[in-house]
Amino acid sequence: MYPTEETREKALLVGVHFPYEEKWEKVDSLEELQNLSKTAGVVVVEKLLQNLQRPNPRSFIGKGKADELGAISSSLGVNTIIFDEELSPSQVANLQSITGEKVIDRTELILDIFAQHAHTKGAQIEVELTQLLYRLPRLTGKGVVLSRLGGGIGTRGPGETKLETDRRRIRARIRTLKKSLKDIEKAKMVQSRRREGMRRIAIVGYTNAGKTSVMNAITKAGLKTDDQLFSTLDATTRVFTSGDRKKYLITDTVGFIRRLPHGIVSSFHSTLEEAVIADLRLHVVDVSHPYVEFQISAGNEILEALGVEKKPSIYVFNKIDLAQDEVGYLRRRFPNSVFTSAVNGMGIDELREMIEGFYKN
């Protein structure tokens, strides 16, 4: 039984704009936060963008602003406030005390989505480990607050019962998860050695850029695609044969997103491993996105964090059927790239030829 709009969480989204930041960036980031919230199953009631000179160390936005958020939440029937920033444990506790509502930040929301979308054992372990490492310093008093404010986003994954135990038991659980993850990585290493000498390709890029659709277009795999953020969390590998009659291994990896904390990138090493060891990366970009180059930069930052920013890659500008006006500029800006519409097959033959050409050279 699926939750109705009446039973789903209702959220107020809060973005903060500082004088040294571009306002359009914060507006777009708040729009992305709304899409993330919808992916998590939340009803977004209202969005607010606050102008601030500097963060308040106690409550990030200051007590007066927090009082206003509490009043707005009460009048709109909101039960969750989601900040488009990373908050400290004390800031979360103070904001919840002032507003009387559950408060989570952008990172907590992303981790909640990961918890919903992790299906393989390895991905589930990575999600739980990352959540525990992130929540451990935020544990003080949180169990009481969560009991009062209810469950929902920010409480999935390990579950409230695990999070409300003492720190010693949580640290023991972290050690167990790390050991389990090492065992899985050892098994993957054995599998990886069996694949040595094979042509290996990784599909990378911003979440919802159409990576799985590109994978389907190349391989005819028929993988499920969804128009939502982080629909793919578990890496999926398929074999395809190109026109040169050679076999290729191609892997669809978890999507990137801006301002993804470094701790998440390092914790998801196993899931992102194929992006590191592949011979070639297909960096898929949604050409229809209004800030397409910003998405490219965000993707490149993740590749840099993985240490593969200088390794061979091909930009695949996808969804050209939705953004013909941008194609000419991007062709001039990125000459050694390919332009595709994975849903109708445009540019896929050219992409296959570029892949073959890479291995020939």
Side-chain angles (χ1 to χ4, degrees):
M1 182 176 179
Y2 293 98
T4 63
E5 186 145 322
E6 288 73 25
T7 60
R8 286 158 61 195
E9 282 184 84
K10 294 186 170 119
L12 170 65
L13 309 187
V14 181
V16 177
H17 171 245
F18 297 108
Y20 52 84
E21 296 175 315
E22 294 283 354
K23 193 155 191 173
W24 65 264
E25 267 188 50
K26 304 308 297 244
V27 171
D28 186 59
S29 183
L30 195 58
E31 187 71 25
E32 185 172 78
L33 188 72
Q34 178 171 342
N35 291 332
L36 286 166
S37 301
K38 288 178 179 177
T39 299
V42 175
V43 177
V44 175
V45 178
E46 184 62 274
K47 295 182 294 183
L48 297 176
L49 185 61
Q50 299 273 353
N51 292 311
L52 284 182
Q53 290 299 312
R54 64 187 67 83
N56 181 291
R58 284 185 53 79
S59 56
F60 197 79
I61 58 171
K63 186 178 183 305
K65 296 279 188 184
D67 284 332
E68 288 179 27
L69 290 184
I72 293 169
S73 299
S74 179
S75 66
L76 295 176
V78 163
N79 48 28
T80 303
I81 301 172
I82 306 176
F83 274 75
D84 194 25
E85 305 287 339
E86 187 166 348
L87 303 174
S88 72
S90 62
Q91 286 169 342
V92 171
N94 289 331
L95 283 166
Q96 288 181 153
S97 176
I98 295 168
T99 64
E101 308 294 349
K102 180 171 69 176
V103 174
I104 67 169
D105 61 15
R106 180 185 179 90
T107 301
E108 189 84 72
L109 178 63
I110 291 172
L111 289 174
D112 187 272
I113 294 169
F114 282 7
Q116 293 183 54
H117 290 187
H119 302 298
T120 65
K121 186 68 174 175
Q124 288 169 351
I125 289 173
E126 285 177 323
V127 169
E128 182 175 356
L129 177 60
T130 307
Q131 286 182 312
L132 288 174
L133 288 169
Y134 185 73
R135 292 174 182 173
L136 183 59
R138 292 161 167 76
L139 189 63
T140 304
K142 189 169 183 179
V144 176
V145 174
L146 288 180
S147 298
R148 177 168 59 86
L149 300 177
I153 54 171
T155 63
R156 272 182 281 259
E160 286 183 45
T161 54
K162 289 177 188 172
L163 293 176
E164 291 178 1
T165 57
D166 60 273
R167 291 175 180 274
R168 181 181 57 80
R169 288 179 62 186
I170 288 180
R171 289 194 179 102
R173 177 64 178 162
I174 287 171
R175 288 193 294 272
T176 300
L177 290 171
K178 285 182 175 179
K179 183 180 182 304
S180 298
L181 200 55
K182 282 186 178 179
D183 292 340
I184 289 173
E185 287 176 353
K186 284 178 184 176
K188 281 191 173 184
M189 286 177 64
V190 173
Q191 185 184 54
S192 183
R193 281 196 290 269
R194 290 175 186 159
R195 292 174 173 177
E196 284 180 2
M198 300 185 75
R199 301 178 172 199
R200 300 170 73 164
I201 303 163
I203 301 179
V204 301
Y206 212 82
T207 182
N208 208 30
K211 297 184 300 299
T212 303
S213 295
V214 170
M215 173 95 153
N216 284 337
I218 294 173
T219 66
K220 313 298 182 189
L223 299 172
K224 182 184 176 184
T225 59
D226 291 302
D227 184 19
Q228 62 178 16
L229 306 183
F230 296 115
S231 59
T232 300
L233 186 60
D234 305 293
T236 304
T237 301
R238 292 291 184 270
V239 178
F240 77 95
T241 304
S242 196
D244 58 4
R245 297 189 178 180
K246 302 287 187 181
K247 286 188 176 180
Y248 298 80
L249 282 176
I250 186 166
T251 301
D252 185 16
T253 64
V254 63
F256 303 152
I257 198 166
R258 80 183 89 184
R259 291 158 50 209
L260 193 63
H262 186 268
I264 293 182
V265 178
S266 59
S267 295
F268 280 80
H269 176 267
S270 178
T271 302
L272 291 166
E273 180 186 27
E274 197 61 36
V276 176
I277 63 179
D279 311 312
L280 175 67
R281 279 140 291 278
L282 305 182
H283 188 164
V284 179
V285 178
D286 178 2
V287 74
S288 70
H289 192 276
Y291 304 113
V292 58
E293 290 204 49
F294 195 76
Q295 281 203 355
I296 294 170
S297 297
N300 285 337
E301 285 176 10
I302 303 294
L303 293 174
E304 184 176 354
L306 293 171
V308 297
E309 75 278 9
K310 293 182 180 178
K311 291 188 176 182
S313 64
I314 297 172
Y315 282 117
V316 180
F317 289 98
N318 193 36
K319 305 186 185 181
I320 60 170
D321 53 311
L322 302 179
Q324 290 291 343
D325 293 343
E326 298 294 324
V327 172
Y329 159 72
L330 289 168
R331 283 190 191 277
R332 293 189 296 273
R333 176 82 170 78
F334 301 94
N336 299 315
S337 56
V338 61
F339 291 76
T340 65
S341 172
V343 295
N344 61 29
M346 291 171 61
I348 298 302
D349 288 341
E350 182 184 351
L351 177 56
R352 284 171 171 266
E353 289 170 7
M354 289 189 76
I355 292 170
E356 292 173 20
F358 166 77
Y359 283 97
K360 285 177 183 176
N361 296 329

